[in-house]
Amino acid sequence: MSGHHHHDHDHDHDHPHAPPQPDDKVHSYHQILSIALKELLIEKGVITAAEVRQFIEKRDSITPANGAKVVARAWLDPAYRARLLEDGNAAAAELGFPITGTKLVAVENTSDTHNVVVCTLCSCYPRDLLGLPPAWYKSRAYRARVVREPRAVLREFGTELSDDVALRVHDSTADIRFLVLPQRPVGTDALDEEALAALVTRDSMIGVALLDGGAR
Amino acid sequence: MTRFEPGAKVRVREDCPPGHIRTPVYLRGKPGVVQRYFGAFGNPERLAYNLTGPKKDLYKVRFRAADLWPDYQGSQKDVIEADLYDHWLETI
């Protein structure tokens, strides 16, 4: 798209103009490679631009709210919780969230164990259930540090764990995707499933946050 | 029949082959304990190059943070777990 103006008045008027913003930064080598590959696949008729757009739209429609529903159901229904811990794919599918190509494994926080998830090699994440990972999850800093000094990283997220709590860092190095099943906050006995799901945050399902305050 | 049962003590192969390797360098040569068996999965070292080959048994292996990092500052209870393919694991 051209950035040129086609109106013919001079730019000596005094209303404030935002400075023109170039709409793209300089692409990296791999971004250029990916764009070239996409264009070639479209040109050769393997995929269509509409299919690419539909795929992105579908991806973007998956949000942490899906995972929150799984967590809330597991809190309320011990049999569902057992099924979730036994077979994450089947338990997610039960609630209408199909997971394809990877194996979903739920890891449960307890009063003496806290779980946190990373992919040190790239950005593996339970995308079928939680949507796209946050930018920090893909950053080199998080990936390198959470296996090296996990408690310091959690502290930066406002999460303080006592030394009595064993910290378990899950490095997603293969076909397994991990979902942290956070502890149900105290004082929520009266809440129904929908209200409980509303309490469950993305970060608690990655394991960098707690739901009942910042310390344990 | 899998090579390792949960509880088996293993060591990650100390090796540095070229290619698409899903065994993080920080775990190579380190001792760990098998937690569970996940099943047999396509070998990413072959799949990355559009090659076929036998599926590989995949295990969840637990490492003590203190075994990975001699100067580890957290609790002695802290562990790192990773998912590793059979051909990267040795019996100890």
Side-chain angles (χ1 to χ4, degrees), chain A residues 73 183 203-204:
Chain A
R73 174 68 60 89
Q183 278 189 293
D203 290 356
S204 74

PDB file of all heavy atoms in Angstrom, chain A residues 73 183 203-204:
ATOM      1  N   ARG A  73     -13.972 -26.564  35.921  1.00  0.00           N
ATOM      2  CA  ARG A  73     -14.668 -27.857  35.980  1.00  0.00           C
ATOM      3  C   ARG A  73     -13.881 -28.850  36.849  1.00  0.00           C
ATOM      4  O   ARG A  73     -14.466 -29.592  37.652  1.00  0.00           O
ATOM      5  CB  ARG A  73     -14.851 -28.406  34.553  1.00  0.00           C
ATOM      6  CG  ARG A  73     -15.437 -29.802  34.448  1.00  0.00           C
ATOM      7  CD  ARG A  73     -16.902 -29.861  34.890  1.00  0.00           C
ATOM      8  NE  ARG A  73     -17.742 -28.999  34.094  1.00  0.00           N
ATOM      9  CZ  ARG A  73     -18.346 -29.376  32.948  1.00  0.00           C
ATOM     10  NH1 ARG A  73     -18.205 -30.603  32.498  1.00  0.00           N
ATOM     11  NH2 ARG A  73     -19.090 -28.511  32.279  1.00  0.00           N
ATOM     12  N   GLN A 183      -4.210 -23.959  42.116  1.00  0.00           N
ATOM     13  CA  GLN A 183      -5.015 -24.264  43.306  1.00  0.00           C
ATOM     14  C   GLN A 183      -6.225 -23.355  43.348  1.00  0.00           C
ATOM     15  O   GLN A 183      -6.128 -22.163  43.037  1.00  0.00           O
ATOM     16  CB  GLN A 183      -4.178 -24.047  44.557  1.00  0.00           C
ATOM     17  CG  GLN A 183      -3.280 -25.217  44.898  1.00  0.00           C
ATOM     18  CD  GLN A 183      -2.649 -25.030  46.252  1.00  0.00           C
ATOM     19  OE1 GLN A 183      -1.841 -24.137  46.442  1.00  0.00           O
ATOM     20  NE2 GLN A 183      -3.029 -25.858  47.212  1.00  0.00           N
ATOM     21  N   ASP A 203      -1.827 -16.452  33.225  1.00  0.00           N
ATOM     22  CA  ASP A 203      -0.529 -16.631  33.881  1.00  0.00           C
ATOM     23  C   ASP A 203      -0.558 -17.727  34.941  1.00  0.00           C
ATOM     24  O   ASP A 203       0.450 -18.388  35.180  1.00  0.00           O
ATOM     25  CB  ASP A 203      -0.067 -15.303  34.496  1.00  0.00           C
ATOM     26  CG  ASP A 203       0.319 -14.284  33.426  1.00  0.00           C
ATOM     27  OD1 ASP A 203       0.288 -14.640  32.225  1.00  0.00           O
ATOM     28  OD2 ASP A 203       0.649 -13.139  33.784  1.00  0.00           O
ATOM     29  N   SER A 204      -1.741 -17.930  35.560  1.00  0.00           N
ATOM     30  CA  SER A 204      -1.831 -19.010  36.560  1.00  0.00           C
ATOM     31  C   SER A 204      -1.784 -20.369  35.872  1.00  0.00           C
ATOM     32  O   SER A 204      -1.370 -21.355  36.476  1.00  0.00           O
ATOM     33  CB  SER A 204      -3.113 -18.873  37.383  1.00  0.00           C
ATOM     34  OG  SER A 204      -4.252 -19.263  36.630  1.00  0.00           O
TER      35      SER A 204
END
